[in-house]
Amino acid sequence: MSPIGGRVWKESGKRMYWFILAYLLLLALPCTGFLPNFWSRVLTLSWDSHTHQYITEQAILNVTLETLKSSKKHQAEEQTRLGRSFWRAVGEVVKSNAAMDFLSSTRSDPVYHFDSERVDSALVMLRQFWAQTLLSVRAEEYQSARHSLGQLCHSLQDFYSHSNWVEMGHHSIYHHLLQPEEPAVPVANADTPTCMECFSDTCRNNLLPRLTNSQQHSQLLTTGYFSTSPPKPRGKCSHGGILDSSRYMEAKGGINKDSTSPFFSPHYYLHVEAATLATEATLSVLRDLRDTVGHTSFLRLFSVKQAPALVFVIDTTGSMFEEITAARLRAHSIIQSQANSPGQAGTFLLIPFHDPVVGPVYETSDPNQFMEYMNNLIALGGGDEPEMCLSAIQLALTHSPPLSEIFVFTDASPKDAHLFDTVKALALEKQSKVTFLLTEDPNHKAEDTGRRRKRRIVKSLSPDRFSLYSSLSSVSGGLTIFTTNSDILRVSTIVEDNTAADKVTLLHVESAQDLVSSHSFRVDSSVKNVTLHIIGVLKECILTSPSDKSQSLLGESGPFAELEQFEGLYRINMFPPIQPGQWRVHAKSDGHLTFNVIGDSSIDFLYYFATVSNDTHPGLARVEGSPVAGVPAFLVLAVTGLVPDNEASFSHVTLLGAKGENLQRVKLNSSSSSSSSSSSSHSMDQLVGWVDSVPRVPFCVRLTGRDTTGKKLERVSTEMVQPTHVQIQVLSVPRLVPGHSSVVDYSILNHGPARLFSLSMEDDCGYLHNRGPHRFHVTEHGSFHDQVNLHTPATAQAGATVTLTLTVRALDSADSNYAVAYLTVVPLDPDTLPPSCSAAGGQFTCPSICSLSNWSVSLVVSDRGRSGLAALQLQRGEGALMLYLNPPPTEDSIRTAQSGLHKHQAHRDQTTSMGRHYHHLYKARIERGDLPLNVSEWASSQPLWVRYTSSCCSAQAELLVWDTAGNMKRCHLMPGQQRQQRDKSTETNGTEHITLTALSYFFVFVLLWFHLL
């Protein structure tokens, strides 16, 4: 996200902005941390401030592009388009980061923000965030990883804004924060004064001399106190700014560098320096994460160049043979088409179900493995008509990535209807669509032996028994298709249509029982391969072009499109080239119709609703769950997939009702200036709009703008927002420890009259003590607070994620809402000590003419924890790394070897005893570009001796060492006397600058000769 531009809020928006600003200033509440997000700049009048959002987004973007460029298969690409899935993943990290300033459980706790000199506790918390992130990535629990990564980034960034690190003259990051063995700067004692009185908004030189001392041996660290909790001792520094009440206590003033505004940040003049170090620290964490988990896992964490997920939920009872066959053939076709596409393989998920068995979950990124799962499916057994379908969909939603489309093949109604609210909540939270392919007539009666069912029908079946499926597909933006066995294979082409990359929605609307319906959609210059899906029974269907020419789709072939008719589905393929502009479709039918129009385009959007937070930090707090009906809110959009030569602009969004009717038009203003982004060709455009009153009926969002040619551009987000008068918020997300119990705090806010509510809770692992429903009374505009109890079994796998879903529903109305929390299982006593690497040998420097000599270094690599060594990799350097189980040859032994070198030239297969000895010691040779070398089988519990040799023209190298717990150490190697030896060991990374020994080319020749023996 680039910094804010000048076009922010006009006309009515300006009036609202001044009202909000005045309101915040009157509240005089404490302010902590860098500003949370782009809107904070508006509220503080600090247009050029670096926010948590900006720092985090730019760091992720830069390390992602850096990772792609380092991959050989991407080196030839001049540009890499980062799409909607990438920015959705980045948004989750930013959301978790900003939530630290908005959640009541974290916003005022100094430990999360490096406030009030709680540095030691903050360090423990920071390192826990890192360990949790690493665990989650390794377990492929990417949503949990993004959540803990956002928390990690927030606390890490706050350190540089809230402490005196910058004032002490530091121009590099504080390594001790995530590297315990790095030198630590002592923290001022509770009775040690740190600040002098300051009587102006700009508190220059208000730190006591020792707190700004640049001499390392005499430095003292402090961080500012804010508000009254904890109380500020006399003579301590405040956070400062007009929202901090502690600024009036001795010593008056403050030291925060959150913004460039002197009203909010007394040390505003050091904001850029603090933001620069915070950015450098965030980049360092991301690079460490990438190097620890590997490039592939890092890119999957952010859904980079990843094919859309293929998710099948399949009923495996005896009547489902044709459906299973159709799904199998369709999966094979999709895999074949993806095989020729660039980028990473997507996620493949298969969840079989019947009654009472659900699962197991077959999840893989290997298409061949997925096809093996599909080929092993057997339609067997049967029984009563209802099946455990919603339980299977719940598993699919918890295991699939956001923005997925889930395809359900069944001919039975749900037996587990009590899960509907939970499944709906998960679909909305992940913005995933659920599409049903039903091979059953909803009007089927018990006395009908019809069609081909092998189920035992023992009671009368309700004609609306599939209504929950229709409701779920409607809310999530999917489709419900009733078809037959004979047509299921052809109908399943919709799976291929919707899982291709870069699919965007141009129209999605459900018509009621109207005999005639007309709808329009727009095709812009970026859209290709347009397909229309119409669900229902058509009597007439006419497609009209922007030039007002028409084609009857049910008649003979025409110039615009070709129609394929299957039982329950009409599939209309538009012929290229497609004329840009507004197209209209006019249809006649006896009943319900659903229209869905999709196309290929990189341009799409994400959105969320937000309200102004005035608790501890000015900014926009994202609305969790559904927004409150009838009240104002901000609508924040991120337009993704824009490229430099596509100068698209966006003017407004329209909130559309369930039948496609216009409910409200919301004007948009840009929150960014694309010219200021360091990577503008990969950035996205963030827009913000003011919704005067959130509609009281369900709606979806349509974005409108203009493309490069000036033609109108439209995109539709198909999920239906469910406005409500009740909110539920998770206040705490504890770590789960095997064999222990945990509690999750939550609150419910009633925005309506006093009434009864029902709360249900579900988790995907069975850890809940009581699932409910629980009934309770909440007063008018009142609140209710309680806890959820979970018990983690002793056998729980570290790194696993438990998805907890809370749903609340009013008993006197349709008001309902949801909250979803991701809880991570962490080990009780984790190994957090990384490996170590220490130099062994003398110090020599390279000569001035680098081509005349080599340099080398010998070092010992071992694990200081209890896990044992796992792998080594040469990350940087043009030389070679030799591994030994015992100390490598000394220079004296090399000279001895040199004197007998001629004896081996004629008979290389007959070595001397010394030659046999060295050959036995030598285990492996590593060069840059090699994959990490697994050493766990032969060096897990013992040290390794390593010798690195390189030309003096390549004067730096970097060795990465991992233990089996995932702790990583960096060893920086360079010629001696250029830098003192440093040993940096940590659970995040270790960095060690090793002193080196210069040797001759002849030494390298001898080593290579022994290698050839």
Side-chain angles (χ1 to χ4, degrees):
M1 180 65 53
S2 50
I4 195 162
R7 294 186 294 122
V8 179
W9 227 244
K10 300 176 181 178
E11 302 168 358
S12 62
K14 282 186 176 179
R15 293 192 294 273
M16 179 56 62
Y17 150 66
W18 287 113
F19 168 77
I20 293 171
L21 180 60
Y23 177 60
L24 283 172
L25 297 181
L26 288 173
L27 286 174
L29 291 171
C31 176
T32 61
F34 281 110
L35 301 177
N37 49 39
F38 70 95
W39 194 248
S40 309
R41 298 178 177 129
V42 179
L43 298 176
T44 60
L45 301 178
S46 55
W47 316 108
D48 54 349
S49 293
H50 293 261
T51 65
H52 282 296
Q53 177 181 355
Y54 176 77
I55 293 171
T56 304
E57 285 177 345
Q58 287 298 304
I60 294 174
L61 177 61
N62 289 335
V63 176
T64 298
L65 295 177
E66 177 184 293
T67 305
L68 287 170
K69 290 176 182 177
S70 68
S71 175
K72 292 181 180 178
K73 62 183 178 181
H74 290 99
Q75 284 179 353
E77 295 186 19
E78 293 183 1
Q79 289 188 357
T80 299
R81 188 173 64 244
L82 299 173
R84 190 168 178 244
S85 295
F86 170 77
W87 288 110
R88 172 60 151 80
V90 174
E92 289 181 18
V93 180
V94 170
K95 168 187 169 183
S96 174
N97 186 322
M100 299 276 276
D101 283 331
F102 300 139
L103 289 177
S104 60
S105 58
T106 58
R107 65 193 177 204
S108 299
D109 189 338
V111 173
Y112 289 97
H113 307 283
F114 277 95
D115 285 326
S116 307
E117 296 185 326
R118 300 299 194 265
V119 175
D120 290 339
S121 298
L123 287 176
V124 173
M125 182 71 68
L126 196 67
R127 293 163 188 170
Q128 286 177 348
F129 288 148
W130 165 262
Q132 186 173 334
T133 302
L134 188 60
L135 270 175
S136 296
V137 174
R138 288 189 176 278
E140 298 184 359
E141 299 285 0
Y142 296 122
Q143 278 198 281
S144 295
R146 291 189 284 265
H147 177 74
S148 54
L149 179 60
Q151 294 175 308
L152 167 64
C153 291
H154 185 101
S155 295
L156 185 67
Q157 292 159 5
D158 272 357
F159 170 79
Y160 297 97
S161 174
H162 295 178
S163 73
N164 62 322
W165 183 259
V166 173
E167 286 84 347
M168 287 191 290
H170 289 288
H171 299 288
S172 60
I173 62 176
Y174 186 27
H175 292 287
H176 180 72
L177 293 178
L178 286 170
Q179 301 174 18
E181 292 191 356
E182 274 292 289
V185 177
V187 181
N189 294 327
D191 57 353
T192 301
T194 55
C195 267
M196 298 179 286
E197 296 281 2
C198 170
F199 300 99
S200 65
D201 292 332
T202 303
C203 292
R204 292 182 183 270
N205 302 318
N206 62 326
L207 283 159
L208 291 174
R210 188 178 176 187
L211 279 301
T212 59
N213 196 327
S214 60
Q215 299 298 319
Q216 187 173 354
H217 65 279
S218 59
Q219 289 182 339
L220 203 60
L221 195 63
T222 187
T223 63
Y225 287 73
F226 75 90
S227 190
T228 57
S229 179
K232 186 179 86 168
R234 289 172 59 89
K236 289 293 185 181
C237 300
S238 287
H239 180 86
I242 61 176
L243 301 183
D244 177 18
S245 58
S246 78
R247 73 188 190 278
Y248 296 117
M249 305 173 187
E250 186 183 352
K252 296 182 178 66
I255 63 170
N256 92 71
K257 298 163 281 293
D258 292 345
S259 72
T260 57
S261 168
F263 300 106
F264 290 88
S265 301
H267 285 197
Y268 72 95
Y269 51 89
L270 294 174
H271 169 78
V272 173
E273 287 83 349
T276 299
L277 289 178
T279 301
E280 183 182 341
T282 307
L283 288 167
S284 178
V285 162
L286 292 169
R287 288 171 180 141
D288 287 345
L289 179 61
R290 175 196 63 196
D291 293 339
T292 301
V293 302
H295 287 206
T296 299
S297 293
F298 182 83
L299 294 177
R300 292 185 76 86
L301 173 63
F302 294 108
S303 300
V304 177
K305 295 182 71 65
Q306 193 169 314
L310 181 59
V311 187
F312 283 162
V313 175
I314 300 181
D315 184 346
T316 58
T317 48
S319 59
M320 293 294 295
F321 175 80
E322 292 88 347
E323 292 88 335
I324 292 173
T325 301
R328 185 181 295 138
L329 293 174
R330 198 57 60 193
H332 183 266
S333 177
I334 292 171
I335 288 170
Q336 290 295 106
S337 64
Q338 288 184 357
N340 299 321
S341 301
Q344 300 188 93
T347 298
F348 297 94
L349 270 174
L350 170 63
I351 297 91
F353 74 93
H354 53 89
D355 182 17
V357 178
V358 177
V361 176
Y362 298 105
E363 181 176 1
T364 181
S365 58
D366 182 351
N368 295 324
Q369 182 69 61
F370 182 71
M371 283 310 304
E372 185 177 331
Y373 295 149
M374 293 294 298
N375 291 332
N376 289 335
L377 280 185
I378 300 175
L380 188 66
D384 293 347
E385 194 270 352
E387 302 290 353
M388 303 292 286
C389 185
L390 294 182
S391 298
I393 297 173
Q394 179 187 10
L395 285 178
L397 285 164
T398 55
H399 285 267
S400 60
L403 306 177
S404 295
E405 183 148 4
I406 295 164
F407 297 94
V408 183
F409 293 80
T410 186
D411 60 2
S413 58
K415 189 175 185 177
D416 43 7
H418 65 281
L419 289 176
F420 177 76
D421 283 346
T422 296
V423 171
K424 182 179 78 170
L426 289 170
L428 290 173
E429 196 274 335
K430 286 199 166 185
Q431 292 180 284
S432 291
K433 302 176 184 178
V434 184
T435 289
F436 293 88
L437 289 84
L438 303 173
T439 48
E440 180 57 276
D441 184 347
N443 297 316
H444 173 71
K445 304 294 184 181
E447 61 271 16
D448 296 338
T449 59
R451 301 173 62 193
R452 46 85 201 156
R453 293 183 60 85
K454 300 181 180 67
R455 298 182 183 275
R456 251 185 4 258
I457 306 299
V458 297
K459 59 183 179 180
S460 179
L461 301 177
S462 168
D464 64 350
R465 64 190 182 278
F466 297 111
S467 61
L468 290 183
Y469 295 162
S470 300
S471 297
L472 182 58
S473 65
S474 178
V475 166
S476 66
L479 300 168
T480 296
I481 305 170
F482 291 95
T483 187
T484 63
N485 281 349
S486 58
D487 268 4
I488 183 62
L489 178 58
R490 294 190 295 167
V491 167
S492 65
T493 57
I494 197 169
V495 178
E496 287 192 66
D497 290 343
N498 288 356
T499 54
D502 292 331
K503 285 296 178 185
V504 298
T505 303
L506 307 178
L507 172 69
H508 185 88
V509 64
E510 298 182 9
S511 296
Q513 303 293 327
D514 302 330
L515 296 178
V516 178
S517 56
S518 295
H519 302 283
S520 63
F521 61 92
R522 291 188 179 275
V523 176
D524 58 86
S525 58
S526 72
V527 175
K528 313 294 180 187
N529 302 325
V530 176
T531 303
L532 290 76
H533 297 128
I534 301 177
I535 313 301
V537 179
L538 290 172
K539 288 189 171 182
E540 180 181 81
C541 187
I542 298 174
L543 182 66
T544 304
S545 72
S547 55
D548 211 28
K549 296 180 181 179
S550 299
Q551 175 186 341
S552 176
L553 296 173
L554 294 179
E556 297 180 357
S557 60
F560 301 137
E562 175 186 31
L563 181 142
E564 297 176 273
Q565 180 177 352
F566 316 128
E567 180 70 26
L569 171 68
Y570 298 88
R571 182 174 181 266
I572 303 164
N573 240 357
M574 295 185 66
F575 300 136
I578 303 172
Q579 182 181 354
Q582 179 173 281
W583 290 76
R584 298 188 302 276
V585 57
H586 176 85
K588 291 183 179 179
S589 173
D590 285 337
H592 181 93
L593 291 177
T594 300
F595 298 85
N596 189 64
V597 182
I598 57 176
D600 295 349
S601 174
S602 65
I603 301 175
D604 209 341
F605 74 102
L606 300 160
Y607 72 94
Y608 62 88
F609 287 90
T611 57
V612 172
S613 170
N614 51 30
D615 292 307
T616 62
H617 221 308
L620 284 184
R622 185 187 301 238
V623 173
E624 299 296 332
S626 299
V628 178
V631 300
F634 287 94
L635 181 61
V636 182
L637 290 92
V639 182
T640 64
L642 297 173
V643 293
D645 58 350
N646 192 331
E647 298 177 0
S649 61
F650 303 91
S651 57
H652 67 277
V653 298
T654 306
L655 309 184
L656 303 173
K659 299 178 183 178
E661 71 275 20
N662 293 350
L663 299 177
Q664 190 175 152
R665 178 177 166 136
V666 179
K667 185 179 180 181
L668 297 176
N669 293 270
S670 175
S671 70
S672 61
S673 171
S674 60
S675 61
S676 57
S677 173
S678 61
S679 301
S680 60
S681 62
H682 303 282
S683 66
M684 49 92 173
D685 191 14
Q686 186 148 5
L687 309 167
V688 61
W690 174 253
V691 181
D692 293 322
S693 176
V694 174
R696 299 178 184 272
V697 296
F699 62 90
C700 65
V701 178
R702 183 179 68 201
L703 172 66
T704 301
R706 294 192 179 275
D707 64 14
T708 308
T709 66
K711 298 287 186 181
K712 272 196 174 181
L713 180 155
E714 290 182 348
R715 297 289 185 270
V716 177
S717 188
T718 55
E719 69 273 4
M720 298 298 291
V721 179
Q722 309 287 303
T724 184
H725 293 91
V726 61
Q727 288 180 291
I728 180 169
Q729 185 178 51
V730 173
L731 302 178
S732 64
V733 182
R735 299 174 180 86
L736 304 182
V737 178
H740 291 70
S741 295
S742 307
V743 296
V744 176
D745 297 299
Y746 68 88
S747 67
I748 292 172
L749 303 177
N750 176 22
H751 294 272
R755 49 191 169 161
L756 282 173
F757 289 91
S758 174
L759 176 75
S760 296
M761 53 197 78
E762 294 286 343
D763 76 287
D764 60 332
C765 295
Y767 293 177
L768 280 167
H769 283 301
N770 191 343
R771 299 176 183 276
H774 305 284
R775 293 190 176 187
F776 50 88
H777 184 270
V778 185
T779 60
E780 181 178 1
H781 297 288
S783 62
F784 175 82
H785 301 269
D786 204 353
Q787 294 179 329
V788 175
N789 297 295
L790 304 98
H791 181 77
T792 307
T795 56
Q797 185 68 37
T801 293
V802 177
T803 302
L804 175 66
T805 308
L806 307 180
T807 56
V808 61
R809 180 176 291 277
L811 299 183
D812 65 343
S813 70
D815 280 337
S816 66
N817 215 328
Y818 64 90
V820 179
Y822 302 97
L823 295 83
T824 302
V825 179
V826 300
L828 178 62
D829 183 24
D831 175 10
T832 59
L833 291 175
S836 67
C837 48
S838 55
Q843 286 188 338
F844 298 94
T845 57
C846 282
S848 57
I849 303 177
C850 66
S851 60
L852 297 181
S853 186
N854 285 353
W855 61 270
S856 73
V857 59
S858 296
L859 55 148
V860 181
V861 177
S862 60
D863 184 31
R864 296 183 301 111
R866 58 182 180 275
S867 301
L869 293 175
L872 285 80
Q873 183 181 35
L874 187 62
Q875 180 80 350
R876 290 189 296 120
E878 301 302 322
L881 199 71
M882 311 292 287
L883 275 65
Y884 301 84
L885 291 181
N886 290 295
T890 64
E891 294 188 22
D892 290 339
S893 63
I894 289 172
R895 283 192 291 269
T896 303
Q898 292 171 1
S899 65
L901 183 59
H902 65 279
K903 299 179 182 179
H904 299 274
Q905 291 176 343
H907 304 281
R908 290 194 175 185
D909 58 330
Q910 299 178 6
T911 63
T912 63
S913 60
M914 183 174 64
R916 286 193 301 270
H917 177 59
Y918 291 151
H919 180 68
H920 174 71
L921 293 177
Y922 166 74
K923 291 297 296 186
R925 173 190 171 95
I926 304 175
E927 295 183 353
R928 185 174 64 88
D930 292 346
L931 294 174
L933 176 67
N934 185 352
V935 298
S936 59
E937 293 184 0
W938 45 273
S940 175
S941 59
Q942 62 181 355
L944 280 177
W945 278 261
V946 176
R947 172 166 285 161
Y948 177 76
T949 305
S950 176
S951 164
C952 281
C953 295
S954 176
Q956 291 190 7
E958 182 178 74
L959 172 65
L960 305 183
V961 185
W962 293 273
D963 65 16
T964 56
N967 301 305
M968 185 186 73
K969 180 173 186 71
R970 289 184 189 273
C971 302
H972 287 306
L973 315 176
M974 62 185 64
Q977 299 180 355
Q978 291 185 13
R979 187 167 181 177
Q980 295 295 319
Q981 177 179 329
R982 299 171 65 192
D983 188 4
K984 302 180 180 179
S985 300
T986 180
E987 68 270 22
T988 62
N989 70 346
T991 306
E992 182 171 325
H993 294 268
I994 306 296
T995 311
L996 306 166
T997 305
L999 297 174
S1000 66
Y1001 279 115
F1002 187 72
F1003 170 70
V1004 181
F1005 174 78
V1006 173
L1007 280 180
L1008 293 174
W1009 177 72
F1010 276 122
H1011 173 58
L1012 293 174
L1013 292 179

